[in-house]
Amino acid sequence: MYLGSLYLYAYWFLRPLIKWFLRKTTKLCELQRVCYGEPSGASRTLGVEFSLTHSKTPQIQEVIRYLNERSENLEFIGKHTKTNIEFAVVTVLRVKKIHPTIHNQFIKSFGRTVEQIWGYKQLNVEVEELRRTAYDSSNPQHEEMLLGLWQRLNPDTRLEARVTKQWQDIGFQGDDPKTDFRGMGMLGLHNLYYFSDHYQKASQHVLLHSLHPVNGYAFAIVGINLTSLAYHLLQDGAAKSHIFNFAKGSPVMRHFHQLYCYLFCEFDRFWFDSKPKDIMDFARIRDDFETSIRTILANPHTVFRINMLVDTI
């Protein structure tokens, strides 16, 4: 621990000198060295993000403040995307004295990293808004999505009533699912609905697994728990390696939903591989699963392949 702290202190103390030395010897600024030296995806984007975040140049800090404000107000992705990226690129070219004609490739590479960094920040805001939105049974859209979840998971079984014990057949705790969404709000329902809508066969297979007479689990409740996991991976930045490698442009809600679907299918496999004694093993297995996922995501080259082939049990 002491040696690690000493190394970090030495690094931050020497960082300005190292940057100056490399600039003099390579004729490239740190951002150029990252964009030219790292492969596209998480390695490059994380390197650019680190460099920008730790820059002491006032103009760079102003760019960061401006783009943060745009993403917080949901104004980075969409009709303003091109303008926002151009603002960052032009400022960096001017401040770092980079010739645009000679370094045209840098402009493209740096622009893509800006799109990913602040697209990710805006995605965080959008996900947080859904999490804070409580399920409202008087809201027709909320009710329609909930009923749509049932129809996609159990297309051949008619729901007898809005409040019924049938909800327990797909893993809710009681007769009215709305009470189970308190922790994750509408984000939990959106995730479940996306899984059942875009990967209907896979979600039905996973539901079937969850009904196993010995090793079964509550499908919907576990799904909401996995929403919590996906949410925290996104918020604390652990998901950046996958999303920056997976998304070609700005990360959007679809990428978050697909990460969730991957986690659900992987957890299903992990659960049965762990051979639980009963449902009381859930907390332990869930924690082991999170540790496994975080270990994989610690590798900047990680990209989860969204392959929804699920074995039947």
Side-chain angles (χ1 to χ4, degrees):
M1 180 68 71
Y2 174 76
L3 288 176
S5 300
L6 186 62
Y7 171 79
L8 286 175
Y9 176 80
Y11 171 78
W12 287 111
F13 181 77
L14 296 173
R15 176 173 158 79
L17 179 61
I18 294 171
K19 288 178 63 178
W20 174 85
F21 175 78
L22 291 174
R23 180 68 187 258
K24 289 295 184 181
T25 55
T26 66
K27 307 301 182 183
L28 300 173
C29 70
E30 184 177 50
L31 289 173
Q32 288 174 290
R33 295 196 300 273
V34 171
C35 286
Y36 289 148
E38 297 291 343
S40 62
S43 295
R44 181 183 296 170
T45 301
L46 290 170
V48 167
E49 185 176 38
F50 179 88
S51 180
L52 291 174
T53 302
H54 293 89
S55 174
K56 296 180 181 180
T57 306
Q59 297 94 323
I60 299 297
Q61 289 301 311
E62 179 57 33
V63 167
I64 293 174
R65 283 192 293 270
Y66 173 81
L67 295 181
N68 282 345
E69 183 179 334
R70 297 282 77 75
S71 59
E72 289 166 6
N73 293 327
L74 304 181
E75 296 175 344
F76 180 80
I77 300 174
K79 63 180 181 179
H80 304 293
T81 304
K82 185 177 180 180
T83 301
N84 292 328
I85 295 173
E86 286 179 351
F87 171 69
V89 170
V90 169
T91 302
V92 166
L93 291 177
R94 184 180 70 251
V95 171
K96 299 298 182 179
K97 298 181 172 58
I98 300 172
H99 197 291
T101 303
I102 297 175
H103 295 285
N104 185 57
Q105 185 56 49
F106 168 77
I107 294 175
K108 296 177 181 178
S109 299
F110 178 68
R112 176 61 58 86
T113 64
V114 169
E115 185 178 9
Q116 288 202 316
I117 293 167
W118 276 276
Y120 188 96
K121 289 178 183 289
Q122 180 164 321
L123 175 59
N124 266 275
V125 176
E126 293 172 348
V127 166
E128 178 64 19
E129 284 191 0
L130 271 181
R131 188 190 70 84
R132 290 177 176 271
T133 302
Y135 185 93
D136 182 1
S137 55
S138 67
N139 186 318
Q141 293 179 330
H142 292 191
E143 288 285 283
E144 182 181 356
M145 182 172 288
L146 179 60
L147 295 174
L149 174 65
W150 174 271
Q151 292 165 1
R152 283 156 179 76
L153 290 175
N154 272 326
D156 299 325
T157 304
R158 178 177 171 272
L159 195 64
E160 297 173 355
R162 166 60 182 80
V163 178
T164 170
K165 291 186 181 296
Q166 283 180 287
W167 289 113
Q168 297 174 36
D169 295 342
I170 60 172
F172 286 103
Q173 290 182 342
D175 298 352
D176 192 345
K178 71 177 184 180
T179 59
D180 292 327
F181 293 119
R182 289 173 181 167
M184 286 288 110
M186 283 298 293
L187 183 63
L189 179 54
H190 275 257
N191 275 165
L192 283 168
Y193 182 86
Y194 188 95
F195 185 31
S196 68
D197 187 50
H198 287 76
Y199 303 102
Q200 188 171 16
K201 289 184 178 180
S203 62
Q204 288 173 353
H205 276 309
V206 173
L207 174 60
L208 180 63
H209 293 183
S210 75
L211 299 174
H212 192 281
V214 177
N215 302 128
Y217 55 85
F219 176 89
I221 296 301
V222 167
I224 294 171
N225 266 273
L226 292 173
T227 290
S228 176
L229 173 57
Y231 166 79
H232 285 101
L233 292 174
L234 186 78
Q235 292 286 319
D236 64 28
K240 286 180 179 179
S241 54
H242 161 71
I243 290 182
F244 288 159
N245 287 326
F246 187 71
K248 300 304 180 184
S250 294
V252 293
M253 188 63 71
R254 169 173 57 86
H255 297 119
F256 177 75
H257 285 318
Q258 289 174 330
L259 171 61
Y260 168 83
C261 295
Y262 172 85
L263 292 175
F264 211 146
C265 287
E266 285 301 304
F267 178 81
D268 182 71
R269 295 189 184 95
F270 193 89
W271 172 264
F272 284 98
D273 287 346
S274 299
K275 296 179 171 53
K277 296 178 181 178
D278 51 43
I279 197 62
M280 298 303 292
D281 276 345
F282 175 76
R284 174 184 62 81
I285 293 174
R286 193 267 187 201
D287 288 346
D288 289 345
F289 178 69
E290 178 174 355
T291 299
S292 173
I293 291 296
R294 287 187 176 276
T295 299
I296 297 170
L297 287 171
N299 182 344
H301 301 296
T302 290
V303 55
F304 295 136
R305 300 300 177 185
I306 311 300
N307 182 9
M308 298 301 163
L309 295 177
V310 184
D311 296 329
T312 55
I313 293 178

